[in-house]
């Protein structure tokens, strides 16, 4: 029997194959810190992770989690929109980042009226594509089915279809739940 993995676990499986010890990664939406923690473990003491969130609650929760796990020294947490990542990530890392993760929607356990929005998300993803190294990977977990989520997912899907296929490969992994509003994972690989 084939085992079906939840989409966050699928994203982690893909990233594990692309992020070496000593690597550089970005968690564009730190939330409660679980993806940030995952990235920090992969990069090791010689790597770096930059984490972004607009909610101070998310930055605090992530700080607490990483402190408990002894990983805080590997992370630079930034209380700002992911659409500003090129301004906050030092220039020397531009074009050198192996992995960038996005987990869209709202902060689990937080205020559900504060959500990622299509305009800033697409700006952030465009910037992320420029920050990636050749063969770098970008994962975007999108959640239609909540206010703003349908539009964000639809626009993201359209944006991915417009990417230059000679420079980027896009795969969409659908949830194993056969519902139109089920989450989906976009995996964008930079070819050169």
């Amino acid at each position: 029997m084939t085992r079906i993995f939840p989409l966050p676990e699928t994203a982690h499986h893909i990233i594990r194959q692309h992020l070496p010890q000593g690597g550089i990664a970005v968690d564009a939406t730190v939330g409660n810190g679980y993806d940030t923690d995952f990235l920090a473990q992969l990069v090791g003491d010689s790597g770096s992770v930059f984490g972004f969130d607009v909610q101070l609650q998310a930055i605090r929760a992530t700080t607490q989690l990483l402190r408990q796990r002894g990983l805080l020294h590997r992370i630079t947490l930034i209380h700002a929109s992911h659409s500003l990542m090129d301004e906050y990530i030092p220039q020397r890392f531009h074009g050198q980042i192996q992995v960038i993760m996005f987990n869209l929607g709202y902060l689990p356990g937080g205020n559900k009226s504060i959500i990622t929005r299509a305009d800033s998300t697409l700006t952030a993803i465009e910037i992320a594509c420029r920050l990636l190294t050749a063969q770098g990977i970008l994962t975007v977990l999108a959640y239609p089915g909540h206010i703003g989520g349908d539009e964000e997912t639809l626009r993201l899907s359209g944006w991915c279809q417009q990417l230059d296929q000679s420079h980027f490969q896009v795969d969409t992994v659908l949830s194993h739940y056969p519902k139109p509003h089920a989450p989906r994972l976009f995996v964008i690989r930079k070819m050169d």
Side-chain angles (χ1 to χ4, degrees):
M1 184 165 123
T2 302
R3 181 166 178 228
I4 299 173
F5 295 97
L7 291 180
E9 197 174 324
T10 300
H12 285 195
H13 175 74
I14 292 166
I15 287 166
R16 201 175 276 113
Q17 298 170 30
H18 289 84
L19 186 58
Q21 281 216 356
I24 304 160
V26 175
D27 185 351
T29 50
V30 301
N32 287 314
Y34 301 116
D35 287 338
T36 318
D37 173 52
F38 167 74
L39 294 170
Q41 290 180 46
L42 288 179
V43 300
D45 281 331
S46 59
S48 296
V49 178
F50 296 91
F52 290 83
D53 211 291
V54 295
Q55 294 187 69
L56 192 54
Q57 177 185 350
I59 297 295
R60 287 179 178 150
T62 301
T63 300
Q64 182 178 351
L65 175 67
L66 296 172
R67 185 176 290 124
Q68 289 170 350
R69 306 246 171 123
L71 299 172
L72 198 53
H73 63 285
R74 299 178 184 177
I75 311 295
T76 301
L77 290 172
I78 301 154
H79 181 215
S81 171
H82 51 211
S83 66
L84 301 173
M85 71 174 82
D86 59 339
E87 296 176 29
Y88 283 95
I89 295 173
Q91 187 73 35
R92 71 182 182 276
F93 295 117
H94 291 201
Q96 303 300 314
I97 299 170
Q98 283 101 351
V99 167
I100 302 177
M101 295 184 77
F102 287 79
N103 198 337
L104 305 179
Y106 51 82
L107 177 64
N111 182 343
K112 291 183 179 181
S113 69
I114 302 172
I115 60 171
T116 55
R117 306 230 177 244
D119 288 339
S120 61
T121 294
L122 292 177
T123 297
I125 291 171
E126 286 179 18
I127 291 167
C129 286
R130 291 195 303 268
L131 294 176
L132 283 175
T133 186
Q135 304 304 311
I137 195 159
L138 171 64
T139 62
V140 186
L141 192 48
Y143 298 90
H146 68 87
I147 294 174
D150 289 333
E151 178 195 355
E152 187 174 46
T153 304
L154 184 64
R155 288 185 56 196
L156 174 59
S157 181
W159 184 88
C160 286
Q161 291 173 14
Q162 301 302 314
L163 267 177
D164 184 343
Q165 293 182 8
S166 65
H167 298 289
F168 294 94
Q169 175 188 335
V170 179
D171 294 306
T172 305
V173 182
L174 300 176
S175 170
H176 62 277
Y177 299 108
K179 295 189 253 179
H181 296 295
R184 59 209 62 183
L185 175 65
F186 297 89
V187 181
I188 302 169
R189 291 176 175 85
K190 189 171 185 176
M191 308 309 284
D192 56 13

